[in-house]
Amino acid sequence: MKDSVETVLRKTALFASLTEIEIQGLAGRASRKNLQRGELLFAEGDSCKGLFLVASGKIRIFKLSSAGREQVLAIEGPGSSFAELPVFDGGNYPAAASASEDSELVFISRKDFQNFCREHPDVALKVIAVVGSRLRRLIGIIEELSFTTVRQRLIALLLQLAQVDGTPSKDGIRLELTKSHQDFAAELGTVRELVSRNLSRLQAEGFLEVEGRKLVVKDVAGLKRELTSPE
Amino acid sequence: MKDSVETVLRKTALFASLTEIEIQGLAGRASRKNLQRGELLFAEGDSCKGLFLVASGKIRIFKLSSAGREQVLAIEGPGSSFAELPVFDGGNYPAAASASEDSELVFISRKDFQNFCREHPDVALKVIAVVGSRLRRLIGIIEELSFTTVRQRLIALLLQLAQVDGTPSKDGIRLELTKSHQDFAAELGTVRELVSRNLSRLQAEGFLEVEGRKLVVKDVAGLKRELTSPE
DNA sequence: TTGCCGTGGTGACTTTAGTCACTGCCCCCT
DNA sequence: AGGGGGCAGTGACTAAAGTCACCACGGCAA
């Protein structure tokens, strides 16, 4: 379970193109960090020390409002990096990061990474690509917040979960929710109660079967229709 | 009014660090393009041909919903570039772009720009910085959409306009709106009617003086208070 | 002049989102 | 066994957002 730093680097998209020697050079400067579920890695506005790679677990990147509400911007799993950005523009972290599962990270300091990028232009190009996909995802979030209802966002999330984690069965796609309603609310940009209510309503309408955290998506086609139809 | 391509390149943040010779090399590959107010440069999903620099005018980057609503993501003025991103990841444009004023642009094809970046690593680092600030702005939009009301977003926009374009006078900061309510709505992620109504309400509450497109911000401090106070 | 179109204002209404308070459940800890 | 604490469900309500319809004004073009 405990990969070496070298292995983690090799598995990370950013460094996929490096040679063994380069990997080892970089590994010498990297350090490890473990986080327990729920632990905060950094808060929004903290000054940026460097970038992180995910070796195992999941890291939630989120904004926190003054009223205490959260909005998740991204969830990064193994092979991903995050906080590349402030490394370059010198600014602070624009959002907070916490572990949504027990996680192992690898850390590379800002200076080391910058130097490395200067020596390896292809890594810099890789960074642009990674940041680019992040940007697309953020635009997607904006689109959803601006154009859709909580109900639709929830449906979209469920369909995605069903596709990724779901197991087909005779009456539909079965899946187990691993997160609380609170967590879903933060991903959807709303509050716990609306998640709960919308799930109930989707069940009442026959799209779902809910039983605690076990859930059966009974009518995928119908749900997809709910996403496109104006009503 | 009509700067040479070289001058435009020199004024663009991305290329600020280049030598004269490099600028001229790049200029040889660039072409010009003019757009009239309202004209569409590209639509969301169009395949990406290259990146654009703004020589004069303003370009609006926006999303369009199936119901016909718009959400502005950015407005780029002289000295800015846009669409750098899909140049690198090879994907399509994630949003549409149109001119909100008559505008002059400079175009650099994807291939030329990529090659140029490979030869000039410092430009690649600059790209990362530019994309980084774009990312911060998008996170800001998400934060506003997720945590604030239309009223608060409008106030924030007005305060910003007052600071940038406003002229102080005895009864407050005077400014002239150059855009329609429709345009404001697209920037705020809402609809025309709410802009109109909220302006009226802010006037009724004594914060503003509205007369057509002329507007006086009478109580800056009060408006700022509206942004922070829960009520 | 006439008529149209883009723009802005507003009333009346529906729908969606969010708040508050309370209940029940389950699990874990001592 | 008892008591918290975190999580989920729901009723009742308020508030914000959005919709629809309509009118008014001002240019601009036929």
Side-chain angles (χ1 to χ4, degrees), chain A residues 69 149-150 190 193-194 197:
Chain A
R69 258 174 66 175
T149 64
V150 170
T190 183
E193 291 94 325
L194 286 194
R197 259 192 251 278

Side-chain angles (χ1 to χ4, degrees), chain B residues 202-215:
Chain B
L202 288 173
Q203 179 172 32
E205 291 168 334
F207 293 114
L208 302 177
E209 197 86 29
V210 190
E211 202 184 311
R213 291 199 178 182
K214 291 198 197 305
L215 196 146

Side-chain angles (χ1 to χ4, degrees), chain A:
Chain A
M1 190 82 270
K2 204 160 153 65
D3 286 341
S4 72
V5 171
E6 283 84 352
T7 308
V8 175
L9 288 176
R10 227 175 284 122
K11 284 185 181 168
T12 300
L14 264 188
F15 304 117
S17 63
L18 298 185
T19 66
E20 269 315 298
I21 297 170
E22 291 169 326
I23 293 255
Q24 282 173 23
L26 195 54
R29 319 242 177 119
S31 60
R32 311 188 66 109
K33 181 162 180 85
N34 291 322
L35 281 184
Q36 291 190 328
R37 176 188 169 88
E39 215 177 324
L40 189 73
L41 179 59
F42 53 77
E44 174 182 347
D46 281 5
S47 77
C48 169
K49 307 257 193 299
L51 103 161
F52 296 90
L53 314 182
V54 182
S56 72
K58 286 207 174 129
I59 302 294
R60 227 171 53 122
I61 314 290
F62 63 100
K63 273 264 173 188
L64 188 61
S65 84
S66 57
R69 258 174 66 175
E70 294 183 345
Q71 168 72 54
V72 171
L73 300 177
I75 296 180
E76 304 292 350
S80 298
S81 49
F82 58 96
E84 312 94 347
L85 253 194
V87 165
F88 285 95
D89 67 4
N92 297 338
Y93 294 121
S98 73
S100 70
E101 303 175 2
D102 291 356
S103 301
E104 298 172 290
L105 303 177
V106 167
F107 172 80
I108 302 174
S109 87
R110 188 159 134 187
K111 229 172 56 188
D112 288 339
F113 186 58
Q114 278 186 339
N115 289 337
F116 195 82
C117 281
R118 253 187 275 280
E119 294 160 28
H120 302 273
D122 45 327
V123 171
L125 291 185
K126 226 22 190 280
V127 171
I128 297 180
V130 167
V131 172
S133 77
R134 211 182 289 303
L135 207 132
R136 280 175 200 276
R137 259 185 290 160
L138 291 184
I139 292 180
I141 294 177
I142 291 175
E143 183 175 17
E144 292 206 318
L145 287 175
S146 186
F147 297 151
T148 74
T149 64
V150 170
R151 173 186 170 90
Q152 291 174 309
R153 280 175 258 156
L154 177 60
I155 291 175
L157 183 56
L158 289 176
L159 286 175
Q160 194 201 320
L161 285 177
Q163 206 178 10
V164 177
D165 304 331
T167 60
S169 76
K170 51 191 169 305
D171 45 349
I173 301 175
R174 191 172 294 277
L175 77 135
E176 169 105 28
L177 305 182
T178 60
K179 289 180 276 199
S180 70
H181 287 189
Q182 188 65 255
D183 294 332
F184 281 108
E187 287 182 46
L188 301 175
T190 183
V191 294
R192 182 186 70 79
E193 291 94 325
L194 286 194
V195 172
S196 181
R197 259 192 251 278
N198 274 290
L199 278 175
S200 303
R201 190 168 152 218
L202 288 173
Q203 179 172 35
E205 291 167 335
F207 293 114
L208 302 177
E209 198 86 30
V210 189
E211 204 185 309
R213 292 200 177 183
K214 290 197 197 308
L215 194 147
V216 182
V217 181
K218 290 168 66 183
D219 183 0
V220 173
L223 286 175
K224 283 189 179 158
R225 232 174 292 127
E226 291 288 309
L227 290 184
T228 51
S229 69
E231 167 46 302

Side-chain angles (χ1 to χ4, degrees), chain B residues 8-229:
Chain B
V8 176
L9 289 176
R10 228 174 282 122
K11 285 184 181 168
T12 301
L14 264 188
F15 305 117
S17 62
L18 298 186
T19 66
E20 269 316 297
I21 297 171
E22 290 169 326
I23 294 256
Q24 283 174 20
L26 194 55
R29 318 238 176 125
S31 59
R32 311 184 67 106
K33 182 162 181 82
N34 291 323
L35 280 184
Q36 291 190 329
R37 178 189 168 88
E39 215 176 325
L40 189 74
L41 179 59
F42 54 76
E44 174 182 347
D46 281 5
S47 77
C48 169
K49 307 258 192 298
L51 102 161
F52 295 92
L53 315 182
V54 182
S56 72
K58 285 205 175 132
I59 302 293
R60 227 171 53 119
I61 314 289
F62 64 99
K63 274 265 174 188
L64 189 61
S65 84
S66 56
R69 260 174 65 176
E70 294 183 346
Q71 169 71 55
V72 172
L73 300 177
I75 296 180
E76 305 292 351
S80 297
S81 49
F82 59 97
E84 313 93 348
L85 253 194
V87 165
F88 285 96
D89 67 5
N92 296 338
Y93 293 120
S98 73
S100 70
E101 302 174 3
D102 291 356
S103 301
E104 299 173 290
L105 304 176
V106 167
F107 172 80
I108 301 174
S109 86
R110 187 160 134 188
K111 229 172 58 189
D112 287 339
F113 187 57
Q114 278 186 340
N115 289 337
F116 195 82
C117 281
R118 251 186 276 279
E119 294 159 27
H120 301 273
D122 44 327
V123 171
L125 291 185
K126 237 356 191 306
V127 171
I128 297 179
V130 167
V131 172
S133 77
R134 211 182 288 305
L135 207 133
R136 280 176 200 277
R137 259 186 289 160
L138 290 184
I139 292 181
I141 294 177
I142 292 175
E143 182 175 18
E144 291 206 319
L145 287 176
S146 186
F147 297 151
T148 75
T149 65
V150 169
R151 172 187 171 90
Q152 289 173 311
R153 279 176 260 156
L154 177 60
I155 290 175
L157 183 56
L158 289 176
L159 287 174
Q160 195 201 319
L161 285 176
Q163 207 177 10
V164 177
D165 303 331
T167 59
S169 77
K170 51 193 169 305
D171 44 351
I173 301 175
R174 192 171 293 277
L175 76 137
E176 168 103 27
L177 305 182
T178 60
K179 289 179 277 198
S180 70
H181 287 188
Q182 187 64 257
D183 294 332
F184 282 107
E187 287 182 45
L188 301 175
T190 183
V191 294
R192 183 187 68 83
E193 290 95 325
L194 286 194
V195 172
S196 181
R197 258 192 252 279
N198 274 290
L199 278 176
S200 303
R201 190 169 152 216
L202 288 173
Q203 179 172 32
E205 291 168 334
F207 293 114
L208 302 177
E209 197 86 29
V210 190
E211 202 184 311
R213 291 199 178 182
K214 291 198 197 305
L215 196 146
V216 182
V217 181
K218 291 168 64 180
D219 184 1
V220 173
L223 286 175
K224 284 190 180 158
R225 232 174 292 126
E226 290 289 308
L227 291 184
T228 50
S229 68

